[in-house]
Amino acid sequence: MAFQLSEKLKNMVPYEPISGSYDVRLDANESFLELSDDLKSELGDVLQRISLNRYPDPLAAEVCERFAAYYGVDPDLVTAGNGSDELLNIICNAFLEPGNKLLTVLPDFSMYAFYAGLSGAETVTLKKDADLQIDVDGLIETARREQVSCVMFSNPCNPTGQGLKREQVRRILKELDCLVVLDEAYMDFYTESLLDEAGDHDNLIILRTCSKAIGLAGLRLGFAVANRTLSNVLRAVKSPYNVNTVSQAFGAVVLSHREEEQKALAQILESRDALYGALSRMQEKAGCFERVYPTVTNFVLVKTDRAQEIFEKLKTRSVVVRFMGGYLRITAGSPAENKRLLDALCDILELERTVLA
Ligand SMILES: *Cc1c(COP(=O)(O)O)cnc(C)c1O
């Protein structure tokens, strides 16, 4: 008898980010800033000191402490992951079983349903309204009606760039007794974090990442913050050496440089505001998009019937953004990258550059 793949695995394909090389990458919500030369040379010194023949610290204690100090949380409540993506996988593995249901909102980060599916759980989705806001009452009601085991959503949201207020998230936590996974990947750009009360809720896991505002997407470093019971579960079920020695050591250094990180954050926000401003003016003056959504993240979502065409034409000009059905999600780049994008958009849409000003 020949070996057969299960139904679950038969149609799976590897994740494929945009292939090929492009001058301007505005498709992955990374930071456009490289670490400073000073910081890089400090990392070089650290590299000299670490012992790569030894296994890493399974609890990644030092980097968890630096993360905790950076954000003002109790280090005992912090668990490190190989990117928050790995933590999503760990959480789904640990908390979801075949027959369980996960509730997500639509649109939101696609990996939630992906990992839930791998765990054999079913995903129930609640659509967002025309403003792409989460209907909090609808979410609570759906979670109850469907008897879900877990609710997962990002705040602020990727891909919409919209954010819920703290009070709205608290209401979800209070009204539901299932697990709530709150993905705060973009919370450095916004002000409504629940990090400082993570330990007070018995059903909350908050995820943070160093891949966006902190500018370390290549390092693969994310964190889960939850009360002791949940943190113990995460540490117990993760693979022991999930975060490598280099990521632990480099992450610890970068998270110790608050001033530099705050400066980088301000630069990203400035670029984001400039990008949003220019896109809004294009929409107002030339009506070339259906909608440019305000944002509390480092990217801007644009609604347009011509999304696919614009996406393809940008690519031929060596600029990539994220194409999502009738939308384009555009990451704030450096001033020069933003200019390349905006000039290319003007060419594609046959607009005078004056619409940008
Ligand atoms: C980018 C992103 C992540 C993944 O972050 P990593 O730490 O790089 O794995 C998680 N959630 C959301 C919503 C993201 O946009």
Side-chain angles (χ1 to χ4, degrees):
M1 260 230 300
F3 175 71
Q4 296 279 334
L5 285 176
S6 67
E7 282 304 313
K8 182 174 91 174
L9 300 179
K10 232 164 34 193
N11 298 315
M12 299 209 65
V13 288
Y15 180 73
E16 207 189 322
I18 287 167
S19 54
S21 91
Y22 299 88
D23 293 347
V24 180
R25 292 286 305 258
L26 303 176
D27 61 313
N29 297 343
E30 298 144 327
S31 167
F32 62 84
L33 292 163
E34 277 260 20
L35 297 177
S36 69
D37 290 343
D38 281 355
L39 203 40
K40 279 196 169 169
S41 97
E42 196 177 332
L43 297 183
D45 295 343
V46 165
L47 197 54
Q48 300 296 317
R49 288 201 300 270
I50 56 184
S51 306
L52 290 174
N53 57 316
R54 301 295 178 188
Y55 281 108
D57 171 8
L59 291 179
E62 192 189 351
V63 72
C64 285
E65 274 163 31
R66 298 298 172 95
F67 171 89
Y70 192 94
Y71 289 102
V73 298
D74 178 351
D76 287 349
L77 310 184
V78 179
T79 305
N82 187 4
S84 50
D85 230 309
E86 188 208 18
L87 292 164
L88 286 169
N89 193 8
I90 290 170
I91 291 166
C92 287
N93 254 320
F95 293 95
L96 293 176
E97 290 171 25
N100 287 172
K101 288 179 183 172
L102 169 77
L103 175 60
T104 62
V105 286
L106 204 68
D108 202 339
F109 193 49
S110 58
M111 299 313 283
Y112 308 148
F114 172 77
Y115 288 125
L118 279 184
S119 297
E122 179 192 339
T123 298
V124 181
T125 52
L126 178 71
K127 279 211 178 68
K128 295 187 186 176
D129 63 21
D131 294 329
L132 299 180
Q133 299 290 341
I134 295 178
D135 168 6
V136 170
D137 292 319
L139 186 81
I140 293 166
E141 192 215 320
T142 308
R144 288 193 181 137
R145 188 181 62 239
E146 298 282 345
Q147 298 187 308
V148 304
S149 307
C150 178
V151 176
M152 234 178 238
F153 61 95
S154 53
N155 188 43
C157 170
N158 171 15
T160 67
Q162 308 305 299
L164 289 179
K165 294 286 186 192
R166 266 192 205 93
E167 207 37 62
Q168 294 177 287
V169 182
R170 284 195 194 109
R171 195 144 61 79
I172 295 170
L173 287 164
K174 210 174 100 208
E175 296 288 333
L176 296 178
D177 47 23
C178 67
L179 180 68
V180 175
V181 177
L182 174 61
D183 185 349
E184 293 191 349
Y186 298 90
M187 193 54 89
D188 294 294
F189 304 111
Y190 191 40
T191 55
E192 300 291 323
S193 180
L194 251 54
L195 265 190
D196 55 3
E197 56 191 78
D200 306 335
H201 298 276
D202 64 1
N203 60 339
L204 173 65
I205 301 177
I206 299 179
L207 296 178
R208 301 290 292 234
T209 178
C210 291
S211 300
K212 308 286 157 63
I214 305 291
L216 297 174
L219 203 59
R220 310 308 303 130
L221 189 59
F223 297 90
V225 185
N227 76 0
R228 272 158 221 275
T229 309
L230 294 171
S231 293
N232 280 339
V233 171
L234 295 176
R235 290 170 195 168
V237 300
K238 76 180 186 65
S239 58
Y241 304 117
N242 59 325
V243 182
N244 71 71
T245 304
V246 177
S247 294
Q248 291 190 27
F250 282 17
V253 169
V254 173
L255 288 169
S256 306
H257 287 267
R258 165 181 303 275
E259 225 169 90
E260 178 154 351
E261 281 303 320
Q262 294 299 314
K263 240 168 55 192
L265 177 61
Q267 276 179 268
I268 298 170
L269 289 174
E270 194 179 325
S271 154
R272 187 273 316 270
D273 288 345
L275 176 66
Y276 172 74
L279 291 167
S280 307
R281 287 191 289 278
M282 289 178 79
Q283 183 209 7
E284 279 161 26
K285 293 187 186 173
C288 48
F289 308 121
E290 255 174 85
R291 207 156 164 186
V292 177
Y293 290 86
T295 172
V296 295
T297 60
N298 66 332
F299 56 85
V300 181
L301 188 74
V302 175
K303 185 175 188 185
T304 165
D305 289 341
R306 296 173 67 182
Q308 171 127 40
E309 177 205 342
I310 294 171
F311 167 72
E312 300 291 350
K313 288 183 173 167
L314 282 173
K315 269 209 304 193
T316 68
R317 288 163 172 80
S318 206
V319 176
V320 258
V321 299
R322 184 74 190 270
F323 166 62
M324 321 183 87
Y327 298 89
L328 296 170
R329 192 196 65 194
I330 308 173
T331 308
S334 67
E337 289 171 327
N338 287 355
K339 183 169 183 332
R340 263 288 286 274
L341 166 91
L342 292 164
D343 286 348
L345 280 174
C346 285
D347 290 348
I348 293 164
L349 298 165
E350 298 181 331
L351 302 171
E352 299 289 340
R353 304 274 155 96
T354 51
V355 296
L356 299 173

